[in-house]
Amino acid sequence: FPEHSVVVTGQPRYDIIQKLKKELDRKVICAEYGLNPNKKIILYVTQPARDRFYLSRDVFLAFKNYPDCQVILKPHPRESDYDKYESIAKELGLNLHIIPKDLFKLLFLCDVLVQKDSTVGIEAMLFEKQVICATMIYIDISETRDLFLDGDCRVAPTVESLKIHLDEVLCGKNRKKYL
């Protein structure tokens, strides 16, 4: 194409993020969802993969080490079987808030995002949030592979490594490396 006929614009979905970062209010959103604005928030986003409940069990085991944090699960829009996540959390004694909407509000609220291999990690980084990729199960998604290889986000191939990364983020250790 001739240079004058192409305009590079970026991803329009992300244009709103800078505005939201200035306008959203943590206390208001926490009240809307019944959360305590003074407690740290771990956001876990899922994907409709076959291994999602196995991965979630491992992730929830790690989350149990942070009883003073609030855990939000944001299911993928194609998921509707939230009761299985609730059942796993209840079995493990984890207090879980399932919020199936308002991804950008949840990203604004959270202190750390835990995911498997979603482009939500990129969105979280635009909100200047820490991202941990729980890779207990094999992953190979081209959109996120570079984030791992470049060291832009943390990678947790085991429950123990997820706990270490959560300690670093939630306790303020080694944070700048990944921002």
Side-chain angles (χ1 to χ4, degrees):
F1 296 99
E3 191 172 315
H4 68 278
S5 69
V6 177
V7 176
V8 178
T9 63
Q11 170 57 280
R13 174 173 163 74
Y14 301 153
D15 292 348
I16 190 76
I17 291 176
Q18 292 306 317
K19 181 180 178 190
L20 290 174
K21 285 168 47 177
K22 294 174 188 169
E23 293 179 359
L24 291 177
D25 183 297
R26 182 178 176 89
K27 288 182 181 178
V28 170
I29 299 169
C30 283
E32 179 182 340
Y33 294 129
L35 300 168
N36 182 339
N38 299 315
K39 288 189 171 189
K40 292 188 178 188
I41 295 174
I42 301 170
L43 175 60
Y44 174 50
V45 295
T46 64
Q47 292 193 247
R50 287 181 296 178
D51 62 359
R52 69 186 181 271
F53 298 122
Y54 297 108
L55 177 65
S56 295
R57 177 177 296 283
D58 285 345
V59 168
F60 292 174
L61 281 171
F63 292 167
K64 280 189 55 150
N65 289 302
Y66 305 94
D68 293 335
C69 292
Q70 299 165 107
V71 178
I72 298 173
L73 181 141
K74 163 62 175 85
H76 189 279
R78 289 189 312 213
E79 289 184 282
S80 59
D81 48 356
Y82 312 149
D83 58 332
K84 181 68 173 169
Y85 293 114
E86 289 174 346
S87 174
I88 294 168
K90 185 176 181 180
E91 176 187 326
L92 297 174
L94 178 69
N95 185 16
L96 183 67
H97 302 270
I98 297 179
I99 304 175
K101 58 182 181 175
D102 297 330
L103 174 63
F104 283 176
K105 283 184 180 179
L106 299 177
L107 289 172
F108 173 80
L109 283 183
C110 77
D111 294 284
V112 60
L113 170 76
V114 177
Q115 64 167 12
K116 181 179 176 188
D117 53 15
S118 171
T119 56
V120 173
I122 296 167
E123 294 163 344
M125 289 178 191
L126 292 172
F127 275 96
E128 299 177 39
K129 303 299 178 167
Q130 294 283 305
V131 176
I132 302 173
C133 294
T135 61
M136 287 87 164
I137 311 294
Y138 179 76
I139 61 165
D140 189 25
I141 304 296
S142 61
E143 291 86 355
T144 56
R145 185 182 314 113
D146 289 342
L147 297 176
F148 308 140
L149 298 178
D150 293 343
D152 293 329
C153 75
R154 301 164 186 261
V155 179
T158 65
V159 172
E160 286 306 313
S161 62
L162 177 57
K163 290 177 188 176
I164 290 168
H165 287 307
L166 286 168
D167 277 344
E168 290 175 349
V169 172
L170 297 172
C171 299
K173 304 173 190 169
N174 199 16
R175 188 172 166 83
K176 290 288 183 194
K177 178 180 176 185
Y178 297 93
L179 286 179

